[in-house]
Amino acid sequence: MGLKRCLACAAPFKPCPQVPAQNYCARPECQKERRKLWQRQKRKADDDYRENQSRCQKRWNDNHRDYWERYRAAHPEYVAANREKQHSRNATRCAVPIAKMDASLPESPLRSGTYRLSTADDAEIAKMDAWIVKITVLSGT
């Protein structure tokens, strides 16, 4: 079996004989990238996995309600950097305020019609289970 190129770092590596379809080298950064991509694909394709991840996250959050309060108290540099980043994000949102998920506008900005929803991968603020979409008008009325 010859050398392959790692899909993460592009360095040549010799695959493990027991794993002929190996595409990532053994470097920790490359393995982390491999696991991240696997988990992203699994969340997208597997409803049970996604629901289980959501339940686990909720259970952890319920058991560690004061985590972020303690973290921010112990890491003031994080708080300052995050505040600065949020100011930058807000400035680039064309004066559209960040709203709670249950906030609504007086009138719907969308007219009746047929729309295509597709994922918007460049969204910066999202929870693991949030859906950020781009709406494309296909027809009017």
Side-chain angles (χ1 to χ4, degrees), residues 64-76 78-79:
H64 300 87
R65 290 194 179 277
D66 61 340
Y67 172 81
W68 283 110
E69 185 178 337
R70 287 186 293 114
Y71 184 89
R72 286 188 293 267
H75 298 87
Y78 166 82
V79 174

Side-chain angles (χ1 to χ4, degrees), residues 13-90:
F13 73 97
K14 184 173 168 73
C16 182
Q18 293 83 359
V19 189
Q22 180 179 353
N23 290 312
Y24 293 86
C25 68
R27 291 179 51 224
E29 305 85 26
C30 298
Q31 290 300 309
K32 185 176 181 178
E33 179 70 14
R34 177 187 63 80
R35 285 189 299 272
K36 181 181 79 174
L37 293 173
W38 177 88
Q39 189 178 45
R40 182 180 296 156
Q41 184 275 330
K42 190 74 169 168
R43 270 194 225 117
K44 189 181 280 189
D46 188 338
D47 292 338
D48 291 334
Y49 183 81
R50 188 173 45 252
E51 289 171 19
N52 186 48
Q53 292 284 297
S54 184
R55 279 194 310 273
C56 288
Q57 184 180 25
K58 182 176 179 359
R59 185 170 47 241
W60 189 91
N61 285 336
D62 290 345
N63 292 332
H64 300 87
R65 290 194 179 277
D66 61 340
Y67 172 81
W68 283 110
E69 185 178 337
R70 287 186 293 114
Y71 184 89
R72 286 188 293 267
H75 298 87
E77 70 285 350
Y78 166 82
V79 174
N82 191 51
R83 185 172 292 121
E84 186 60 39
K85 287 178 189 174
Q86 187 62 53
H87 286 304
S88 298
R89 287 190 296 260
N90 290 351

